[in-house]
Amino acid sequence: MNSRKATAALALATALALGASACSSDSKSSDNGKKSSSSQGTSAAKDAALTGIVNASDQKGGTVVMENSDVPDSLDPGNTYYGWVQNFSRLYARTLLTFKPAAGKDGLTVVPDLATGLGKASPDAKTWTYTIRSGLKYDDGTPITTKDIKYGIERSNFAPEALSNGPTYFKAYLAGGDAYKGPYKDKNPNGIASIETPNDTTIVFHLAKPFADFDYLATFSQTAPVPAAKDDGAGYVKHIVSSGPYKFASYQDGASADLVRNPQWSQATDPIRKALPNEIKIKFKVNANTIDNNLLAGNTTVDSGGTGVTPQTQAKVIGPKYAKNTDDSYAGATSYLAINPNVAPYNNADCRKAIEYAIDKVSVQTAIGGPVKGDVATTLLPPTVNGYTKFDEFATPDNKGDATKAKASLAACGKPGGFTTNLTARSDRPAEMAEATAIQNSLKQVGITANIKSFPAGKYFSNFAGVPSYVHQHQLGLMLTAWGADWPTGYGFLDQIVDGSAIKPSGGNNLQELNDKNINAALAAAIANTDAAARTKAWGDIDKMVVDTATVVPLIYRKNLLYRPDSATNVTITQAYLGMYDYLLLGSSK
């Protein structure tokens, strides 16, 4: 999904391992949101929001102001893959299950949302049944039924011609998923047969193969209900029908959105949301440094992107005046370089290995702001995700690159003098552009000339790096990206970036177009295994298999150096959404 010291990371990973033994609804708590000791209010101090709630308040009112340096891929809950939108969309789009709005490890607990409880699984983890609450309504007063949830899944997973940004887990795992053409092409009013809705409050999923993480999948925004009569494909984003405590008062594509209270929402049917602010405003295409300045001045509540302050602002906020308002959170995400073997000369494994050995990862870390912005990575899985196993397949002295090994690999692939290549990054993300420059300098030392091509974040995957035809035509051999888990297990992290089935005509995240039959089979076997310990081990093994292909260069286990103004209330980090602030809790005293 488009990341404390080692002991804390290990503790979190252990907690995840204990909470990820799906296949039985008893394996995860169904707590409906009552406070625990870790979610009590905390005074403002450096890193206070990592484990507590800063400026806790039950006061209703105020306006939360959000800003973002680019545009979202989409605010349509069925057409998004950015982590911040998954977090943000919970304000207006309820899902079957969600992550508990709470501080610390409690925020990783899966709790019922539209549903009355967690999924009831068959012993083989191929059939999952949910019951939703009675009395649910959209913002127009019409009732929400399980048929709307089914329709939302159908449109989001089976209509790439209209909605291409999100993942396709349901398509991959539902029985008959390969044959169903989606609601816009298949006019059968019954839709896909493997999702049954025997009544308005029951929904049953029949899978073609076991899927032990299904409760995590039920937290995804694609399970938000969508009324078929109001849907017009890609245009739905302009008039989203709300199932949450807020509805859209206005939406200007690429510019802004304004959310106000939904009078049809009832806390009686939604015990996990407090819905304290009166209004939530979000602005797009605001310069990243401007956002930082607005945060420091108290004019903005939060940078919705959740990736932290820019390198230019970092030196100021770690100083004595502002440090107490910062939280340096592991993002549960890894920044990495994708190497596409379908772009010459990377069809030769030795040319890919030359890239692996040439890059000075410490220079990349320094370019983005040093250790405060993350640790040097040697694996795709970050230490905070269940299944992480430490290894280093392309070790170099002090992680600073090895020119000798890089040049030997160049000679082995028939390019002893080096070559010219293209390297992509997101133009509105200063840290990623800084990474690109550091990599460019590293490659230059061994005779490889990297021309940097930059693209806007909002269209990076849908129009450029995530479009294989564009990548091949424009010879985009090296592509910078970052990835966090769709849910905090190895499968939730790896599947969409390394499985061959995740390669899509557009909106893809498997940028290296990895389609290795052994890796594909290992992923399928692991997620079908109802033994939690065996699954956990498998994720580390698969991670190593991927890195061994030399199609990815792990760079940084990312941290987000976040800033919270004094006016922000109920501020806490959620590891479920990439270490950003939890937007369901966030309020404002203004």
Side-chain angles (χ1 to χ4, degrees), residues 378-423:
T378 61
T379 65
L380 271 180
L381 286 179
T384 53
V385 169
N386 170 241
Y388 164 79
T389 302
K390 185 177 181 178
F391 60 81
D392 190 351
E393 296 300 272
F394 297 97
T396 64
D398 299 319
N399 292 308
K400 293 183 177 181
D402 191 323
T404 300
K405 287 184 178 179
K407 290 178 179 179
S409 295
L410 285 172
C413 79
K415 302 283 185 179
F419 53 85
T420 297
T421 189
N422 290 322
L423 166 63

Side-chain angles (χ1 to χ4, degrees), residues 57-319:
S57 173
D58 289 321
Q59 184 68 41
K60 286 193 173 185
T63 298
V64 168
V65 177
M66 299 182 170
E67 293 182 323
N68 195 288
S69 63
D70 197 48
V71 297
D73 49 358
S74 177
L75 293 184
D76 181 341
N79 194 29
T80 181
Y81 216 156
Y82 270 116
W84 77 262
V85 184
Q86 292 287 322
N87 187 4
F88 178 73
S89 68
R90 297 183 299 156
L91 294 164
Y92 55 86
R94 295 178 64 184
T95 48
L96 276 171
L97 308 177
T98 193
F99 288 96
K100 181 180 178 181
K105 66 180 182 180
D106 283 356
L108 290 166
T109 305
V110 176
V111 296
D113 192 354
L114 291 173
T116 59
L118 302 184
K120 295 180 180 178
S122 60
D124 62 1
K126 291 175 66 176
T127 302
W128 291 78
T129 303
Y130 297 86
T131 301
I132 68 169
R133 306 172 194 270
S134 300
L136 299 168
K137 293 180 181 181
Y138 290 112
D139 64 46
D140 62 2
T142 58
I144 297 170
T145 73
T146 50
K147 292 179 176 60
D148 301 329
I149 297 171
K150 175 179 178 176
Y151 182 77
I153 292 168
E154 290 170 341
R155 70 187 287 274
S156 63
N157 275 253
F158 298 95
E161 71 280 2
L163 308 174
S164 63
N165 291 321
T168 53
Y169 290 112
F170 288 100
K171 177 180 173 66
Y173 277 89
L174 283 169
D178 290 340
Y180 180 56
K181 300 301 181 183
Y184 306 139
K185 291 183 178 180
D186 187 332
K187 298 305 180 181
N188 184 338
N190 296 321
I192 190 168
S194 51
I195 304 180
E196 291 184 315
T197 54
N199 54 57
D200 286 348
T201 58
T202 303
I203 187 166
V204 185
F205 298 91
H206 298 280
L207 310 183
K209 45 194 172 183
F211 191 79
D213 273 4
F214 200 85
D215 268 346
Y216 284 112
L217 183 53
T219 69
F220 226 75
S221 64
Q222 292 181 326
T223 68
V226 175
K230 300 291 182 69
D231 181 33
D232 57 352
Y236 180 68
V237 71
K238 299 176 183 178
H239 51 84
I240 293 171
V241 186
S242 171
S243 54
Y246 296 94
K247 66 176 185 177
F248 284 85
S250 66
Y251 170 79
Q252 294 183 323
D253 190 31
S256 64
D258 188 10
L259 302 180
V260 296
R261 293 190 183 279
N262 170 11
Q264 299 295 334
W265 172 82
S266 169
Q267 196 146 38
T269 61
D270 188 356
I272 65 171
R273 290 170 174 82
K274 291 185 177 181
L276 297 178
N278 285 336
E279 190 174 14
I280 299 162
K281 294 177 175 288
I282 186 166
K283 303 174 186 177
F284 306 127
K285 300 292 287 185
V286 181
N287 179 274
N289 290 312
T290 300
I291 295 175
D292 289 349
N293 290 332
N294 286 339
L295 285 169
L296 297 180
N299 298 324
T300 294
T301 313
V302 70
D303 178 351
S304 71
T307 56
V309 300
T310 65
Q312 293 92 322
T313 307
Q314 178 179 313
K316 181 185 292 186
V317 300
I318 62 177

